[in-house]
Amino acid sequence: MTRCAFPKILYGGDYNPEQFPKEIWDEDMRLFRLAGIDTATINVFSWSLNQPDEETYCFDWLDELMNKLHDNGMRACLGTGTAAHPAWMARKYPDVLTVTYDGKKRKYGRRHNSCPNSPTFRRYAGQMASKLAERYKDHPALLLWHVNNEIGIRCYCDNCERAFREWLKQRYGTLEQLNQAWYTRFWGHTFYDWEEIVLPSALSEGLQNSNSDQTAFQGITLDYYRFNSDSWLECYLIEYRAIKEIIPDAVVTTNFQGNGTYKPLDYFKWAPHLDIVALDIYPENHTPESYMALRYDLMRGLKDGAPFLLMEQSPSVINWKAVNPLKRPGVMRLRSYQAVVRGAESVMFFQLRRSLGAYEKFHGAVIDHAGHEHTRVFKECAELGQELQRLGSGLLGARTESRVGLLFDWENWWAVELGGGPSVHLKYLDQMQKYYDAFYELRIPVDFIHEGTELGRYDLVVAPLLYMAKPGLARKLEQFVQGGGTFVTTFFSGIADEHDRVVPGGYPGELRRLLGIWVEEIDALFPDRRNRIVVKQPFGLLDGSYECRLACEIVHPEGAETIAVFGEDFYRGSPALTRHRYGQGEAWYAATEPDRRFLGQWLQALCEAKGIRPLCAAPPGVEVAERAKDGAIYTFVLNHSDAAQKIHIGDDIRQELLSGGTVSGEIELAPKGVMILKHNRALAQA
Ligand code: GLA
Ligand code: ZN
């Protein structure tokens, strides 16, 4: 892994000057300087330009661009350009074209159009990365590498099918093992030859043509998801290795999509192979702030707390929703700082100059179609650019400190939603967001962790919907609780193993001993139905009666205490919330989806019991978060609301980095206002 050391928070974004005549390039440089832009992500979609046919490579335009960036004091985030193959390649080698879930072989078109198991794609993508590395290895403008772009479509072609069989041989060794894992005696699926295995598409195991998540055999589909994620990782690594072979200390990344929660790729498995994680994020105006906050925290969690890059956001509008309103004044700046406080070390846009034709001509850009600096968006970008220059390098490398770990797991996400469960409304991310929101509102920082994370550094570990308990996890959680930790999990947990086979003997399977309960039945509630939770043993503010929804389980305590019970239906009086004292710690179980008030009060009480304090009280709509470095704490106060807000920050005097002044006591934030307060740790702890 190459360590990343940037001179300041990078500022810039995707830049596609190949779409414009050269005269405009100099004008762009002038505008970039004016806007404080220092980094341009280039060459992202230029494969066909750089390789007009199988034998010919020509990089003249790119040489000129790299030189121009350098002459103007800018750095390049150099794309390898492999996210859209050239038309000649598709014509000559149709194996690069993908097959859709419902079995259609695609023709040349669009982008993100290559099959991850196409030998042609892999060969030429690797060659392109080598050529670029060879050519620019000593170029002073080169800062980092951007492999492909938003990697990760699913393909169902014959190449993929053959590769899937090989992947399965590696994983299982024998067909006996595979038949066991996939539970193939169901519906007479026993396989006697590897060649009998086909990809789980709409034509085979799919239950609904348009929804690839509904499948008749979860074991097969889970393995296909793992395989597809691995196939793309291998494609990424082909380019990664090609670059590193020539430039061993290159900084290499790729931009994660889907706002960081892109279902097809297991980003926890990917992250160790990126020198720095990079994210594209495209919230809508009405997207709640905690939605982005969760995703930034997740990106930071992917590499164990390491900072990440905000690779793309729109400076103003997006173009791909049914209706695309403008980002309101001040929101771009505010949301940029939200990314920074949660670990971003860059603020980058898609894109720097707005294209004149094709699909994205109405997507927001720093330089609009008008082509000059006298626009609202340009001015906002330039103001932020100047602020980031003033902030300098102080924040770089700062970490977030948290005593709460939220367990996130892609395979669990896949398994929960593959079908056959209590309700199609049971969505992994929804449950994750609900628990996250409770901490967000309490202003208690959390870390996203994975099954391999060392748990000893946390006081509280929360695992919503831990449906799939992978080998060794139950034991690890037991040790954590025995040693004094508090563990929280929910309904529909511990049900299955890593092949999505139910663990017999009573839910929650291997978690039963730790939780001190067993679950007999799971009742699903229609979306408009509610049950009630009635607290029997008040705990902190948790007292009285609350609503719950989605699913209610019938739980039998086996050592756990019942803190609250269901208020209605035939299971009225049976446990809805239990606590099991285990070793030095406690394991809690919520047998339903509680309302927001319940979650907030319950988790607050758990944090209080552990001495975990909120960062600072603030009115709703005001986000407070921190990063720390070298004995200094940087507290960001972000007013997402449309009204001025007052908050009390205590009597110590703190530097406010954006205005350059000092503040203490009560501070007032303008609508959409931001403050970055710096103080030293000794003071904070006094
Ligand atoms: C993605 C892509 C970009 C661009 C933007 C538009 O993030 O990576 O190339 O298409 O979306 O929002
Ligand atoms: Zn394929």
Side-chain angles (χ1 to χ4, degrees):
M1 279 299 104
T2 302
R3 263 184 55 83
C4 306
F6 302 126
K8 64 176 271 290
I9 295 175
L10 307 179
Y11 193 53
D14 278 45
Y15 179 46
N16 302 303
E18 68 276 21
Q19 297 173 15
F20 298 88
K22 297 263 171 68
E23 305 83 78
I24 290 186
W25 297 15
D26 285 320
E27 174 63 356
D28 286 341
M29 298 300 136
R30 181 185 74 83
L31 292 168
F32 294 160
R33 257 197 317 278
L34 211 56
I37 285 173
D38 46 59
T39 308
T41 305
I42 56 172
N43 198 45
V44 179
F45 291 103
S46 320
W47 197 347
S48 63
L49 214 53
N50 296 338
Q51 193 183 359
D53 62 50
E54 205 166 351
E55 276 84 42
T56 318
Y57 288 85
C58 62
F59 298 102
D60 297 351
W61 76 276
L62 196 53
D63 292 348
E64 203 176 324
L65 178 59
M66 289 288 280
N67 294 341
K68 198 169 283 295
L69 291 176
H70 176 62
D71 293 345
N72 286 277
M74 289 181 58
R75 308 294 300 276
C77 169
L78 183 57
T80 59
T82 52
H85 54 240
W88 61 258
M89 194 181 287
R91 177 159 173 242
K92 188 157 184 195
Y93 301 105
D95 73 285
V96 297
L97 295 166
T98 59
V99 170
T100 61
Y101 178 66
D102 49 7
K104 290 185 192 129
K105 174 83 177 169
R106 289 194 55 89
K107 295 196 173 191
Y108 175 72
R110 293 200 317 221
R111 62 171 174 178
H112 303 146
N113 49 5
S114 304
C115 162
N117 288 294
S118 152
T120 310
F121 171 69
R122 288 185 171 200
R123 182 169 70 246
Y124 283 115
Q127 269 176 32
M128 179 55 82
S130 295
K131 298 255 180 219
L132 288 164
E134 199 49 64
R135 192 161 190 102
Y136 298 110
K137 60 178 191 284
D138 299 319
H139 201 289
L142 181 63
L143 179 66
L144 73 150
W145 289 84
H146 178 296
V147 169
N148 199 309
N149 183 71
E150 296 201 332
I151 296 173
I153 52 154
R154 289 186 179 142
C155 177
Y156 296 86
C157 77
D158 293 345
N159 280 320
C160 286
E161 197 156 86
R162 276 191 294 274
F164 185 44
R165 292 183 191 128
E166 294 310 311
W167 186 91
L168 291 169
K169 284 181 199 162
Q170 292 293 318
R171 181 168 169 84
Y172 293 108
T174 66
L175 279 169
E176 287 69 36
Q177 298 274 358
L178 172 139
N179 279 313
Q180 286 277 339
W182 286 0
Y183 204 72
T184 53
R185 296 210 172 180
F186 182 76
W187 287 355
H189 267 48
T190 305
F191 295 106
Y192 295 100
D193 192 314
W194 295 98
E195 298 298 308
E196 292 161 10
I197 296 167
V198 297
L199 293 174
S201 70
L203 306 179
S204 55
E205 302 297 357
L207 292 178
Q208 289 170 13
N209 265 358
S210 57
N211 184 353
S212 61
D213 280 355
Q214 295 282 318
T215 174
F217 270 79
Q218 288 82 38
I220 301 181
T221 305
L222 260 180
D223 274 340
Y224 169 71
Y225 287 3
R226 291 176 175 128
F227 156 77
N228 182 67
S229 179
D230 285 359
S231 297
W232 275 117
L233 181 55
E234 185 51 33
C235 291
Y236 164 84
L237 284 171
I238 287 170
E239 295 192 36
Y240 176 94
R241 290 186 208 111
I243 296 165
K244 293 272 180 165
E245 209 167 282
I246 296 162
I247 318 172
D249 62 349
V251 177
V252 183
T253 187
T254 183
N255 50 342
F256 285 166
Q257 62 176 311
N259 299 325
T261 43
Y262 180 64
K263 197 170 176 186
L265 299 190
D266 182 345
Y267 285 155
F268 267 117
K269 213 168 163 192
W270 274 64
H273 305 286
L274 275 62
D275 292 316
I276 184 165
V277 164
L279 166 73
D280 297 349
I281 197 154
Y282 289 97
E284 294 185 74
N285 288 348
H286 57 265
T287 305
E289 283 70 43
S290 67
Y291 174 97
M292 282 84 83
L294 180 153
R295 275 117 186 120
Y296 294 137
D297 288 355
L298 178 61
M299 291 304 102
R300 197 183 67 237
L302 292 179
K303 277 177 98 64
D304 213 16
F308 59 91
L309 297 175
L310 172 59
M311 188 63 91
E312 290 181 25
Q313 65 169 342
S314 175
S316 55
V317 286
I318 51 176
N319 69 299
W320 35 267
K321 290 277 174 179
V323 178
N324 299 295
L326 298 175
K327 224 173 236 186
R328 288 6 233 179
V331 173
M332 180 278 291
R333 169 178 181 259
L334 177 66
R335 290 186 170 179
S336 299
Y337 283 119
Q338 185 192 27
V340 171
V341 69
R342 292 185 179 277
E345 306 225 322
S346 69
V347 173
M348 315 248 286
F349 301 111
F350 184 88
Q351 54 184 338
L352 297 187
R353 185 182 267 276
R354 203 173 211 183
S355 35
L356 298 179
Y359 184 58
E360 290 175 338
K361 59 183 175 295
F362 295 116
H363 194 287
V366 176
I367 306 169
D368 212 325
H369 288 151
H372 53 64
E373 64 267 45
H374 309 292
T375 64
R376 174 183 73 94
V377 172
F378 187 91
K379 283 181 202 152
E380 286 193 36
C381 291
E383 276 162 28
L384 179 58
Q386 278 132 27
E387 264 179 13
L388 293 176
Q389 281 177 343
R390 286 200 298 275
L391 272 179
S393 64
L395 269 160
L396 295 180
R399 311 277 287 199
T400 300
E401 294 167 356
S402 165
R403 293 163 63 189
V404 180
L406 215 50
L407 192 67
F408 191 102
D409 179 33
W410 258 263
E411 297 189 10
N412 231 304
W413 178 8
W414 297 338
V416 165
E417 295 173 14
L418 278 177
S423 165
V424 295
H425 303 291
L426 188 54
K427 297 284 187 202
Y428 187 72
L429 289 186
D430 287 357
Q431 297 303 312
M432 195 59 69
Q433 187 80 56
K434 289 199 155 92
Y435 277 79
Y436 181 86
D437 283 354
F439 290 108
Y440 179 87
E441 279 159 25
L442 290 166
R443 297 187 170 75
I444 290 174
V446 303
D447 280 349
F448 279 95
I449 59 173
H450 58 93
E451 73 226 14
T453 305
E454 167 53 51
L455 300 181
R457 63 181 128 124
Y458 297 102
D459 292 310
L460 176 58
V461 168
V462 182
L465 279 188
L466 188 54
Y467 169 78
M468 179 190 274
K470 292 190 210 158
L473 183 61
R475 188 76 210 102
K476 182 170 177 170
L477 292 168
E478 281 173 9
Q479 280 165 359
F480 167 68
V481 176
Q482 243 151 10
T486 299
F487 173 63
V488 168
T489 190
T490 70
F491 64 101
F492 214 48
S493 287
I495 309 263
D497 67 9
E498 82 269 29
H499 305 294
D500 202 10
R501 291 176 309 199
V502 169
V503 179
Y507 320 130
E510 292 187 3
L511 300 174
R512 191 169 158 180
R513 185 170 54 192
L514 172 60
L515 292 161
I517 54 163
W518 81 273
V519 177
E520 186 177 343
E521 289 185 278
I522 308 170
D523 189 23
L525 277 61
F526 282 97
D528 58 340
R529 300 301 301 272
R530 300 285 181 272
N531 200 319
R532 273 186 314 119
I533 308 179
V534 182
V535 176
K536 289 288 168 195
Q537 275 195 56
F539 179 62
L541 295 173
L542 196 69
D543 196 4
S545 165
Y546 302 79
E547 276 195 344
C548 61
R549 59 184 291 278
L550 195 66
C552 300
E553 289 183 337
I554 300 177
V555 171
H556 304 281
E558 307 174 309
E561 306 155 68
T562 299
I563 306 296
V565 297
F566 287 110
E568 278 155 38
D569 221 316
F570 76 92
Y571 40 86
R572 198 175 81 207
S574 84
L577 181 72
T578 60
R579 167 173 63 191
H580 190 216
R581 294 180 204 272
Y582 187 86
Q584 308 288 304
E586 298 178 349
W588 290 73
Y589 189 77
T592 181
E593 185 198 300
D595 65 20
R596 208 180 166 115
R597 192 169 57 95
F598 181 101
L599 273 180
Q601 294 178 345
W602 171 37
L603 297 175
Q604 181 175 13
L606 286 176
C607 287
E608 272 167 11
K610 284 287 179 194
I612 303 172
R613 294 207 315 248
L615 291 180
C616 150
V622 177
E623 178 172 347
V624 183
E626 285 184 356
R627 286 175 80 169
K629 179 184 159 187
D630 299 339
I633 298 179
Y634 300 85
T635 307
F636 285 49
V637 191
L638 308 157
N639 181 8
H640 295 286
S641 78
D642 290 320
Q645 299 280 1
K646 289 185 175 148
I647 74 163
H648 208 284
I649 57 161
D651 296 329
D652 299 329
I653 297 180
R654 307 181 189 202
Q655 267 175 278
E656 201 288 297
L657 300 185
L658 296 175
S659 65
T662 56
V663 289
S664 70
E666 189 172 71
I667 57 170
E668 183 168 319
L669 281 147
K672 310 291 177 208
V674 180
M675 285 191 187
I676 306 179
L677 311 174
K678 183 180 176 192
H679 54 132
N680 69 43
R681 188 183 297 276
L683 271 180
Q685 282 166 349

